[in-house]
Amino acid sequence: MSLPLTDKKIVLGISGSIAVYKVADWLRSLLKEGGEVNVIMTEAATRFVSPLTFAALSGKKVYSSMFEEENAENIPHISLARDCDLILIAPATAQTIARLAHGLADDLLSAVTLATKAKVVVCPAMNSSMYLHPATQANINKLKEYGYTVVDPASGLMACDEKGPGRLPEWDVIRESILQALAHQDLHGCPVLITAGPTIEPIDSVRFISNRSTGKMGFALARAAHQRGAQVTLITGPSNLPHPPGVHVVSVLTANEMHEAVMTRYDRNRVIVKAAAVSDFRPKTVRPEKIKKAAASLTMTLQPNPDILQELGDRGKESKHPPLLIGFAAESRDHLDEGARKLRDKNLDLIVVNDISATDAGFAVDTNRVTILARNSDASELPLLSKEETAHRIWNRVVKML
Ligand code: CTP
């Protein structure tokens, strides 16, 4: 399994804010995700945390001066600028942002950023009044005009005891911005609808019928599509997963609610992916009060839920420009035959079949092993991959069809 940042050369540019200590952990995360990282610290940053910390974590020399006496032939601001895919500036102080906005090159970090053709992701972190000052806001807008990604700071209580925007966001948010900056924007502007998670069907005021789906595959598809530039709507049943940044999330509970949420958005999307594990049945009557255990036995009558994917497939037959329709098939036996049957019967463009009896694939795990079936073509069997990578492989296939 390859890691998301394998073969990616990243410069981590650190400027002088109290938040420097948080970035030590981000460096470890960048390395864990497969990135090759060089660290540049501004002079002010070295006052907060010693370069030794970053050298020890990266296993490499930390750069901070424009004028290196050793290896003088290898001018650092040019070699670092050329040999990198992405510069992550975190924390970015008001001073560093002003330098970048005005094209100054009076320290190594600003000179490298000026000289690079790589993607640049800037993470402002400072006192809220400094952040909200029109001068800083104007400088941030300039960076956006240059094509840099500027990650909005989080709000909360700051080291200076003020409350407001200016804190470094969590790693998960930064990771998403990095992956988006590096991703090929082959779904740019493409509206896609993804369903995820289980549905729950109430029995009484406290109980329900559901299934083991956690939403991991659908959420991974939403993240991957967003990274590739799509406008993503994610309709999800109950899930504990954090909402993917930049994705429009619609939360539903029952199959009927999911049905309505999907059908009303049918025409607005170019691709619909139904990764949700929809309950096929629901109790015929929902008791308004908690059922007491007094009775010796209890019989519950179930009635079928709408098959959302089937309806989408049927609607596609009547539509002039139907969205591409991708289904999932969770099978515990005869997966390929069952997948092929659902592909045909539900009028799909692709179906992703997974074997839910395997312990490393299917519900509630981070990996998946799927086979993609398309109309009139062979099955393509993917190896065991993270759900994130499986999601990208599915989008690779969809992009070819678009
Ligand atoms: N699906 C749906 N609405 C339902 C049931 C399933 O939209 N009421 C969708 C799922 O989101 C998935 C696909 O249909 O994309 C296949 O779901 P699966 O549970 O594997 O199959 P079923 O259609 O329920 O068929 P069976 O019970 O025969 O396996």
Side-chain angles (χ1 to χ4, degrees):
M1 260 188 271
S2 75
L3 296 163
L5 295 177
T6 300
D7 298 332
K8 297 295 178 208
K9 293 187 174 148
I10 294 167
V11 166
L12 173 60
I14 305 172
S15 60
S17 138
I18 183 65
V20 171
Y21 74 95
K22 291 191 183 168
V23 174
D25 217 31
W26 292 10
L27 169 58
R28 297 190 64 210
S29 301
L30 288 167
L31 296 168
K32 250 197 258 162
E33 304 268 7
E36 192 190 316
V37 188
N38 277 302
V39 177
I40 300 177
M41 295 179 82
T42 63
E43 206 274 322
T46 64
R47 306 280 184 105
F48 286 93
V49 174
S50 159
L52 195 61
T53 303
F54 292 96
L57 290 173
S58 67
K60 285 186 182 178
K61 159 195 170 69
V62 168
Y63 296 85
S64 53
S65 166
M66 293 271 273
F67 309 103
E68 295 283 336
E69 299 208 345
E70 348 156 354
N71 302 326
E73 69 287 357
N74 189 16
I75 312 162
H77 73 274
I78 300 300
S79 57
L80 287 169
R82 266 191 201 147
D83 198 18
C84 96
D85 299 293
L86 181 131
I87 301 181
L88 172 66
I89 304 180
T93 57
Q95 169 71 17
T96 289
I97 289 170
R99 274 203 187 104
L100 300 178
H102 291 88
L104 301 186
D106 60 347
D107 70 357
L108 183 61
L109 179 55
S110 52
V112 168
T113 312
L114 202 58
T116 197
K117 292 197 168 65
K119 303 284 181 185
V120 180
V121 175
V122 181
C123 308
M126 66 197 76
N127 160 278
S128 332
S129 306
M130 290 172 83
Y131 174 72
L132 294 171
H133 192 285
T136 306
Q137 289 300 312
N139 288 336
I140 286 176
N141 286 338
K142 274 228 168 120
L143 299 190
K144 290 181 182 167
E145 279 167 27
Y146 301 156
Y148 298 176
T149 301
V150 181
V151 184
D152 289 337
S155 284
L157 186 64
M158 324 253 300
C160 55
D161 255 355
E162 259 182 46
K163 261 191 184 168
R167 291 160 56 97
L168 273 187
E170 296 302 316
W171 166 246
D172 205 35
V173 176
I174 304 305
R175 179 184 190 273
E176 211 53 30
S177 302
I178 294 172
L179 294 178
Q180 190 183 18
L182 289 170
H184 189 40
Q185 297 297 294
D186 50 9
L187 286 171
H188 182 72
C190 180
V192 308
L193 178 71
I194 297 162
T195 68
T199 62
I200 62 172
E201 309 299 331
I203 297 170
D204 64 14
S205 59
V206 291
R207 303 182 179 94
F208 56 79
I209 301 175
S210 191
N211 58 62
R212 290 173 47 221
S213 168
T214 55
K216 285 187 174 177
M217 193 63 237
F219 276 57
L221 282 157
R223 278 175 185 269
H226 174 254
Q227 286 163 17
R228 297 164 84 136
Q231 290 167 18
V232 186
T233 303
L234 175 66
I235 298 176
T236 178
S239 164
N240 291 327
L241 300 174
H243 288 185
V247 165
H248 175 56
V249 179
V250 179
S251 298
V252 296
L253 294 175
T254 63
N256 269 331
E257 285 175 24
M258 184 172 281
H259 174 255
E260 196 191 331
V262 171
M263 297 317 286
T264 53
R265 290 171 174 84
Y266 176 85
D267 290 324
R268 293 183 227 160
N269 290 283
R270 282 189 68 200
V271 184
I272 300 183
V273 187
K274 283 241 55 227
V278 185
S279 302
D280 287 326
F281 293 93
R282 67 178 184 278
K284 198 162 185 179
T285 48
V286 181
R287 312 273 182 96
E289 314 242 295
K290 182 178 169 229
I291 301 169
K292 303 301 280 181
K293 66 168 179 284
S297 68
L298 180 69
T299 305
M300 197 162 51
T301 308
L302 301 178
Q303 64 180 350
N305 271 328
D307 186 328
I308 308 168
L309 193 57
Q310 181 73 57
E311 258 187 60
L312 291 168
D314 291 343
R315 190 155 161 188
K317 289 180 196 158
E318 288 147 26
S319 170
K320 252 193 182 165
H321 301 290
L324 278 183
L325 196 53
I326 325 296
F328 270 71
E331 306 296 344
S332 46
R333 62 191 170 126
D334 305 330
H335 2 326
L336 293 189
D337 289 345
E338 277 300 287
R341 177 182 67 77
K342 289 176 189 173
L343 176 79
R344 199 179 48 244
D345 290 354
K346 299 195 185 194
N347 189 32
L348 310 179
D349 296 287
L350 284 183
I351 193 156
V352 181
V353 188
N354 59 353
D355 175 3
I356 50 167
S357 60
T359 53
D360 53 7
F363 293 139
V365 289
D366 290 324
T367 49
N368 215 351
R369 188 187 287 108
V370 304
T371 302
I372 304 177
L373 301 180
R375 290 192 224 180
N376 317 322
S377 79
D378 294 338
S380 78
E381 199 181 328
L382 304 186
L384 182 72
L385 298 169
S386 65
K387 284 192 171 162
E388 190 170 31
E389 203 175 341
T390 303
H392 277 293
R393 300 283 190 101
I394 294 169
W395 286 119
N396 289 348
R397 189 66 189 263
V398 171
V399 164
K400 277 192 200 149
M401 297 173 83
L402 285 169

